[in-house]
Amino acid sequence: ESLHSSIGLLGISAGSLLLAVHFYSSPRAAPLIPSTALGVLLLILSSLLAYAGIRRSLRSASLFLSLCLTISVFWCGYGVVLILGGQGVLKDTNDFRNALVPGLGTFTLSLLLIAVVGFLCREVTLAIVAAAVSLASAHEVAMRYSTAFGSSAVACNYMIVCLVGGYFALGRILYFLSKEKITLPGTDLTNKKTREQIQPTSGSVNLFAVPGLILNMLSASVFGCRVLGITGKLFIGQVPWLWAAGIYQIGLCILSYRALDVLMATFFGFTSLLKFAEGYCLLYPIWQPEEPSFPVPFLVVFSILFSVLALFLSLKSPVDGLYLLVYVAYCIALACHPKGFFEGGPQGVDVAIFVASALMALIHLYNVKASAKIPTGKGAVKALLARSSFLKLREGADLHAPYLGYSKYADAEVLGYACSVLASFAITMSGDPQAPLATVVIPWVVVAGGILKLLSGSVAFARGKTLESSAFILYAVIWIIWGLTRYGGLYGTNRSFHAAVGIIAFMLFNGFIVFCTLFLNIAWFLYSLSFLLIAVSFLLDAIHALPAGYDIAASLIFGLVSFYCFLSALFNISFEGSCLPMGRAIVQLSGVGGGTTKCLHLPARKASSVKRIADILKNGGTCGIPTDTVYVLVAACNRPDAVEKAHQSKRQAQDRPMSLWISSLKQLEPAKHLFTPLLWDFMEAAWPSPISLVVPRGEWVDFLGMKDSAKYVGTPQSVAIRIPDCSVTTHLIDLVGPIVVTSANPTGEADTTHHNQVYAKLGDKVDAVLCDGPSPENIASTVVDCTKIDSGNIGFFRVGIIPKSQVKLIL
């Protein structure tokens, strides 16, 4: 429990020691640690802090998470700036000041907020560390503007962090050496663990919101400092802050999906896109002397997406929704100024973003840790909608549960559709073929259409949406390649035959996706079909045959279809019912999507899921469950109707009878006298294991309550019986009693090795599926003939996962 906390605090102490040595030796002509080496070391430590913070966040350590991620991104940007200085990119002290001050100012304030909340919530060790690093950053800002402030003050603050880290390390060493008898004040993590366990679980509170808001402060400070006159220019030295914030915010987007917060994850995806675009624009003067122009339609559409997201976020928290309106104003300001980020209007809105982000970070950080909350209006909109009969908010533990199986992530389709909208409207500005870089298109197409869509596809794959993830990933690759080629100056005026061949290959892949979406729903069919129009425009452009206006029309059609899907996905995750339906499948098939009802898919990791499966079996249902080998279809023995239903739903062949499973030989204890002593001893020695024993049929079968349905189990002469070596399965049998088992696939087909396959093969003929992902083994059990065991002979009907030699050793 204490490992990641120790790694985080000692990593902060190690970095502080490096910086203390650096600032103590900075007055010397040759510093002890060269800038490049120090920058590389800080980058290594920043990755270590990010790992420690994220791993510890799984146990709701919100303040520790915020501290580690904040210092991690601080040292990441700071380290790259030091590397640029060591390599001569930053020419003089003015360049260093202009590059460092925006980041230092942001982290002075953000770490001060963490320190204040830490002191209020009695997290003294973390609060002292945050306060010391905050003071060090403030002293460094003063040192950059006035030589009267020496570097020793900065070094002293970092030494305080080192002393706190040393104290913490000493406390943990004494704690372990004394076997938990000696505990220094502030170093005992047991009490912290107890307090954190009563915090809300993931899904109700997003612990990653605070670091994301601090990253918004960081990017806003770069341009806010320029309009306020704090820095003298915008240049390459500030790009590390912007791109470090963008990279970390993509990571927080993924972690927010892990926290089951779709709306905040989508917001972080949007803001990361802005950060990459801002950094790209600061790099632009390297290859072009003039400032770039911005595609106005794109920014207008971006403001609309922010507005819609703000509206839906207001359902959860009105304060968060109001905060997003600042970004609506930002996009409108960018659209109104042809030079975008370099104009005073957008930079003024950046100041507002900085202030609003700081306030929101304080509110979120305090509300997670403190018992008394700062009111944010949470629940107000819910109370209003409770009176409405038309709209009803979706709530509950299964809000983000995937239709098939179990997933640790919420659905990312909202972000995927939004990125399609952004990428399609970005290319409506074709630009000058002679100067493709003059218009800022690359970050919108490559980051939005490419990187963020790859993220959406990966999350969709994790949720079992194979077709949707394949489409997102394919479209992401197309956007990345086409964006860099067409708008990165690689394409030029000479069109290439090879480019046309590549586009045709992508079109063939997309044609297959269009065909598959016929079996999904109407919206996805139109979505994939309209993207085919985009691919056709790429092809026509490559062969010099693009009609005037066709590319604009194709982009608008794809953008509007994507926008409808974006709205539909938002409505589906926010409200019950189908306010904006995606439509039914154009072609209906049996199995998935073939029926009007859908069986339950419950995660096997939850005890409540096993109990629900047990209740279904007790009530006469049939279920697919995981085992120590492959998935099987089961029914309760004391429900003859269920046994017959299982036999009919599987189309069981006469030569493949169903078998019997128990969880313990105690369930056969009343009929023990009907088994020979040798057979009983062999069963005790062989189980639990993936070995099925075919035993003589007898009166003991009547003890199981199958009545007339007993004819479906075994043959007239024998019955296969087994105790599985799977805790989930045996626990289920403990709740239900002996069960009848058959493989979860139609007779003659391959064994079922994943919960998705159970429903795909048996359709709605099963009442529920207990989902545990892929089977631990792809081989079925070994079936041993014990009908003649008393004569010393055993046979093998099937040699499965357990070989013959091992079975004979048991005998």
Side-chain angles (χ1 to χ4, degrees), residues 102-408:
L104 292 172
T106 299
F107 292 108
T108 297
L109 179 58
S110 59
L111 290 169
L112 180 62
L113 296 177
I114 294 175
V116 170
V117 174
F119 282 120
L120 291 176
C121 299
R122 300 179 182 179
E123 295 278 0
V124 180
T125 303
L126 300 181
I128 292 175
V129 170
V133 179
S134 176
L135 288 174
S137 300
H139 277 104
E140 186 173 357
V141 171
M143 182 190 73
R144 297 292 175 183
Y145 282 96
S146 174
T147 55
F149 290 90
S151 59
S152 298
V154 182
C156 286
N157 285 297
Y158 281 121
M159 284 304 301
I160 294 175
V161 179
C162 296
L163 293 175
V164 173
Y167 172 79
F168 180 83
L170 177 62
R172 298 309 299 168
I173 292 172
L174 290 176
Y175 182 80
F176 285 110
L177 292 180
S178 65
K179 297 182 179 180
E180 305 181 6
K181 295 180 180 179
I182 301 177
T183 304
L184 296 181
T187 63
D188 184 12
L189 301 176
T190 306
N191 293 332
K192 294 181 182 179
K193 176 187 174 183
T194 303
R195 291 198 302 269
E196 288 164 2
Q197 284 178 341
I198 64 174
Q199 295 292 332
T201 57
S202 63
S204 59
V205 175
N206 184 358
L207 301 176
F208 303 100
V210 174
L213 293 167
I214 291 173
L215 294 176
N216 290 342
M217 293 172 58
L218 177 58
S219 60
S221 69
V222 171
F223 297 95
C225 287
R226 178 67 189 93
V227 74
L228 294 176
I230 298 174
T231 55
K233 62 179 179 179
L234 297 172
F235 73 121
I236 188 176
Q238 295 147 350
V239 173
W241 300 119
L242 297 172
W243 281 8
I247 293 171
Y248 274 73
Q249 203 141 45
I250 287 181
L252 292 177
C253 174
I254 299 172
L255 292 169
S256 294
Y257 282 121
R258 181 71 179 265
L260 305 181
D261 191 347
V262 175
L263 298 179
M264 195 59 76
T266 305
F267 170 63
F268 287 154
F270 285 177
T271 51
S272 68
L273 173 58
L274 287 172
K275 292 171 177 57
F276 282 109
E278 290 165 349
Y280 170 84
C281 291
L282 295 191
L283 286 176
Y284 186 81
I286 295 177
W287 53 77
Q288 295 287 344
E290 70 278 0
E291 294 173 341
S293 59
F294 287 75
V296 175
F298 169 86
L299 294 168
V300 173
V301 171
F302 208 176
S303 66
I304 294 174
L305 293 180
F306 266 119
S307 301
V308 174
L309 190 62
L311 179 62
F312 280 88
L313 195 58
S314 298
L315 301 175
K316 177 182 176 182
S317 172
V319 172
D320 290 336
L322 290 174
Y323 169 67
L324 261 67
L325 294 180
V326 185
Y327 277 91
V328 176
Y330 188 50
C331 292
I332 294 174
L334 290 172
C336 294
H337 295 82
K339 299 304 178 183
F341 302 117
F342 298 95
E343 299 278 0
Q347 292 174 3
V349 181
D350 273 308
V351 177
I353 291 175
F354 183 90
V355 175
S357 300
L359 291 175
M360 292 301 299
L362 177 61
I363 292 172
H364 277 268
L365 190 60
Y366 183 80
N367 284 351
V368 170
K369 294 298 297 181
S371 56
K373 310 294 184 183
I374 299 174
T376 61
K378 186 176 182 180
V381 177
K382 177 183 175 182
L384 292 175
L385 290 176
R387 305 174 184 176
S388 171
S389 59
F390 178 67
L391 294 176
K392 185 178 180 181
L393 288 175
R394 291 188 61 190
E395 295 179 304
D398 297 331
L399 175 62
H400 299 287
Y403 169 54
L404 290 178
Y406 172 81
S407 176
K408 297 179 181 179

Side-chain angles (χ1 to χ4, degrees), residues 35 188 258 417 510 631 633 649 681 710 771:
S35 294
D188 184 12
R258 181 71 179 265
Y417 297 136
N510 189 60
Y631 278 78
L633 178 65
S649 65
D681 292 341
C771 306

Side-chain angles (χ1 to χ4, degrees), residues 2 33 64 71 135 186 250 270 304 347 420 432 460 466 490 531 549 556 573 631 667 676 680 706 731 741 771:
S2 65
I33 307 177
F64 180 81
I71 296 181
L135 288 174
I250 287 181
F270 285 177
I304 294 174
Q347 292 174 3
S420 296
D432 184 5
T466 308
L490 305 177
F531 187 82
L556 291 176
I573 66 170
Y631 278 78
Q667 293 176 331
T676 64
W680 189 269
M706 289 186 287
H731 178 55
V741 177
C771 306

Side-chain angles (χ1 to χ4, degrees), residues 403-713:
Y403 169 54
L404 290 178
Y406 172 81
S407 176
K408 297 179 181 179
Y409 298 88
D411 206 331
E413 287 193 16
V414 173
L415 181 61
Y417 297 136
C419 290
S420 296
V421 176
L422 295 174
S424 61
F425 279 93
I427 62 174
T428 55
M429 283 286 292
S430 56
D432 184 5
Q434 301 295 336
L437 297 175
T439 304
V440 179
V441 177
I442 288 181
W444 312 128
V445 174
V446 173
V447 179
I451 297 175
L452 293 180
K453 195 176 282 293
L454 275 175
L455 186 155
S456 303
S458 301
V459 174
F461 185 80
R463 290 178 59 83
K465 294 187 174 182
T466 308
L467 177 59
E468 293 92 326
S469 65
S470 300
F472 281 147
I473 293 172
L474 175 66
Y475 297 167
V477 173
I478 297 176
W479 284 119
I480 291 174
I481 295 175
W482 181 256
L484 292 175
T485 304
R486 175 66 177 81
Y487 300 99
L490 305 177
Y491 202 30
T493 56
N494 296 322
R495 303 301 190 251
S496 170
F497 169 77
H498 303 288
V501 172
I503 295 170
I504 292 174
F506 278 117
M507 290 174 64
L508 292 175
F509 279 114
N510 189 60
F512 175 72
I513 290 177
V514 172
F515 172 76
C516 292
T517 55
L518 291 171
F519 310 99
L520 188 58
N521 56 56
I522 296 174
W524 257 95
F525 173 74
L526 295 176
Y527 177 72
S528 58
L529 186 63
S530 58
F531 187 82
L532 194 59
L533 300 178
I534 296 281
V536 170
S537 71
F538 294 166
L539 177 62
L540 294 177
D541 184 59
I543 61 176
H544 290 283
L546 182 65
Y550 174 81
D551 54 341
I552 304 296
S555 300
L556 291 176
I557 293 173
F558 180 66
L560 292 175
V561 173
S562 301
F563 185 70
Y564 176 84
C565 294
F566 169 74
L567 290 177
S568 177
L570 279 176
F571 270 100
N572 289 335
I573 66 170
S574 302
F575 300 104
E576 294 183 358
S578 299
C579 301
L580 289 177
M582 298 287 282
R584 294 177 59 85
I586 298 175
V587 179
Q588 297 288 333
L589 291 178
S590 61
V592 177
T596 57
T597 60
K598 296 177 180 178
C599 71
L600 290 173
H601 284 70
L602 304 172
R605 305 172 185 225
K606 296 183 178 180
S608 59
S609 300
V610 180
K611 186 177 182 301
R612 288 185 69 183
I613 294 289
D615 292 339
I616 292 171
L617 292 175
K618 291 177 182 178
N619 292 325
T622 58
C623 300
I625 65 170
T627 69
D628 49 350
T629 54
V630 296
Y631 278 78
V632 295
L633 178 65
V634 301
C637 284
N638 56 8
R639 293 301 302 253
D641 54 336
V643 175
E644 184 174 357
K645 178 182 175 183
H647 181 273
Q648 293 175 351
S649 65
K650 207 203 134 181
R651 301 193 299 272
Q652 191 78 25
Q654 294 298 323
D655 60 342
R656 301 287 295 275
M658 294 190 289
S659 59
L660 178 68
W661 282 11
I662 57 177
S663 60
S664 169
L665 280 176
K666 292 181 180 180
Q667 293 176 331
L668 295 179
E669 195 74 33
K672 181 178 179 180
H673 62 282
L674 299 174
F675 294 88
T676 64
L678 181 59
L679 177 58
W680 189 269
D681 292 341
F682 186 53
M683 290 191 295
E684 282 187 329
W687 294 332
S689 69
I691 301 176
S692 296
L693 302 183
V694 178
V695 301
R697 194 182 190 98
E699 294 180 2
W700 62 269
V701 176
D702 299 334
F703 285 87
L704 303 176
M706 289 186 287
K707 299 181 180 179
D708 292 340
S709 64
K711 62 185 178 182
Y712 299 117
V713 180

